[in-house]
Amino acid sequence: MSNPSKPWDGALVRKWLARRLDVSKLDQAAADRRGYEARDDYDKTAAEEWVCRALQAPDCTEEQTPFAQRLKALIGHEEYHATGVYDDVRFERHVRSHLRKVAKMAKANDGFEKMLHHQ
């Protein structure tokens, strides 16, 4: 499932999720201030926030296999509900996209060390 030379680091994954959650809140506020033309940016960052919140449970981040199973279960959902988004279809598309991104990172066990604002 991952590179055997690099062990799974649950603390690093939780730190990455917390950092991305904070960044998504800041980006949502910035998009909200920009107004109408930034609705897609707002929905995109709201989707990232939703994904990070859904994955922050410590019982699923300690080991790689439960984390991958949680991601697979979330990807299998039909709908993702959130209040305050502008377009539900666009929001759900962004949620699925972000879930796939994190799933690739989890499978490769790579990318969680990147803590920059923009990725």
Side-chain angles (χ1 to χ4, degrees):
M1 182 174 265
S2 69
N3 185 356
S5 65
K6 184 178 174 185
W8 181 259
D9 187 355
L12 181 64
V13 172
R14 285 189 300 281
K15 183 178 177 183
W16 184 86
L17 288 169
R19 174 72 176 132
R20 294 311 307 162
L21 182 66
D22 293 342
V23 166
S24 67
K25 288 179 184 179
L26 292 172
D27 289 346
Q28 280 181 57
D32 198 31
R33 284 191 301 274
R34 288 194 333 259
Y36 183 80
E37 73 276 353
R39 292 181 306 164
D40 186 50
D41 292 340
Y42 184 90
D43 289 347
K44 191 176 200 175
T45 57
E48 184 176 13
E49 179 186 5
W50 189 95
V51 168
C52 291
R53 281 194 195 283
L55 293 173
Q56 276 192 325
D59 60 327
C60 79
T61 57
E62 276 307 312
E63 297 292 328
Q64 189 173 15
T65 304
F67 189 69
Q69 290 171 343
R70 176 78 173 135
L71 281 163
K72 188 174 182 177
L74 288 172
I75 290 171
H77 284 181
E78 292 291 320
E79 295 180 343
Y80 306 96
H81 299 286
T83 58
V85 295
Y86 291 99
D87 185 341
D88 290 333
V89 173
R90 182 173 47 208
F91 170 77
E92 290 179 7
R93 184 178 65 240
H94 289 311
V95 167
R96 285 186 184 90
S97 171
H98 197 67
L99 284 169
R100 286 190 302 270
K101 173 189 167 189
V102 177
K104 286 179 185 177
M105 290 171 59
K107 185 176 182 181
N109 192 14
D110 188 36
F112 292 109
E113 66 280 351
K114 298 177 184 171
M115 301 285 177
L116 296 176
H117 183 95
H118 297 285
Q119 294 197 5

